[in-house]
Amino acid sequence: MVGPHPDEPIYGTSWRRHGERRQRAARIARTLRPAAHALGGLVSTELIVPYAGRWYRPDVGVVVDADPPLDGVLEVAPALVVCLGGPLRGADWLRAGAGAVWDCDDDGVALLTRRAVRRMARGQWLTHPDEPALRLAADDLTAGPLADARIGA
């Protein structure tokens, strides 16, 4: 598959404008990485997916049912997408080909699949319907700002 042209925009979060959200996505990716690797998969915050004639980057993408791409460009959305906000919403990621979406929006946290939408309560765990090893506490998607870990003078 041919990826985006160098001058073509890729829609999604950036470290400059969405630093806190990108940090949360990186923390979620680190949490999911051991299970994904045990399944022979890949977890990334840098995947690129085509949808509706444009290129988008999910906050976190987990590839487990295909060969991981060397360039990060996928033909369809990965098996699991973690969505912490726009520009695409959870239902859009399903239409882009995701197997499941863990979506954090104004209404809270939800697990979206092609069959159902399940709203999660505090203390519940998100799991992938086909890969139960991929799991995360729903509270980890709504976590507040990260503490400043810098050492002061």
Side-chain angles (χ1 to χ4, degrees), residues 33-127:
R33 189 164 288 124
H37 283 204
L39 295 167
L42 160 77
V43 178
S44 179
T45 60
E46 299 296 328
L47 297 173
I48 301 170
V49 178
Y51 178 71
R54 294 187 171 171
W55 296 93
Y56 292 91
R57 176 173 286 131
D59 289 301
V60 180
V62 182
V63 177
V64 293
D65 52 0
D67 291 331
L70 297 176
D71 59 1
V73 178
L74 300 172
E75 293 183 25
V76 296
L80 173 63
V81 169
V82 178
C83 181
L84 302 174
L88 291 185
R89 303 306 305 162
D92 296 325
W93 285 112
L94 286 176
R95 284 190 286 279
V101 179
W102 297 347
D103 189 24
C104 182
D105 60 18
D106 294 336
D107 296 328
V109 175
L111 166 62
L112 287 76
T113 64
R114 297 188 195 306
R115 295 179 294 264
V117 174
R118 183 174 151 220
R119 288 282 165 195
M120 308 301 290
R122 291 190 59 79
Q124 289 186 309
W125 285 79
L126 293 156
T127 57

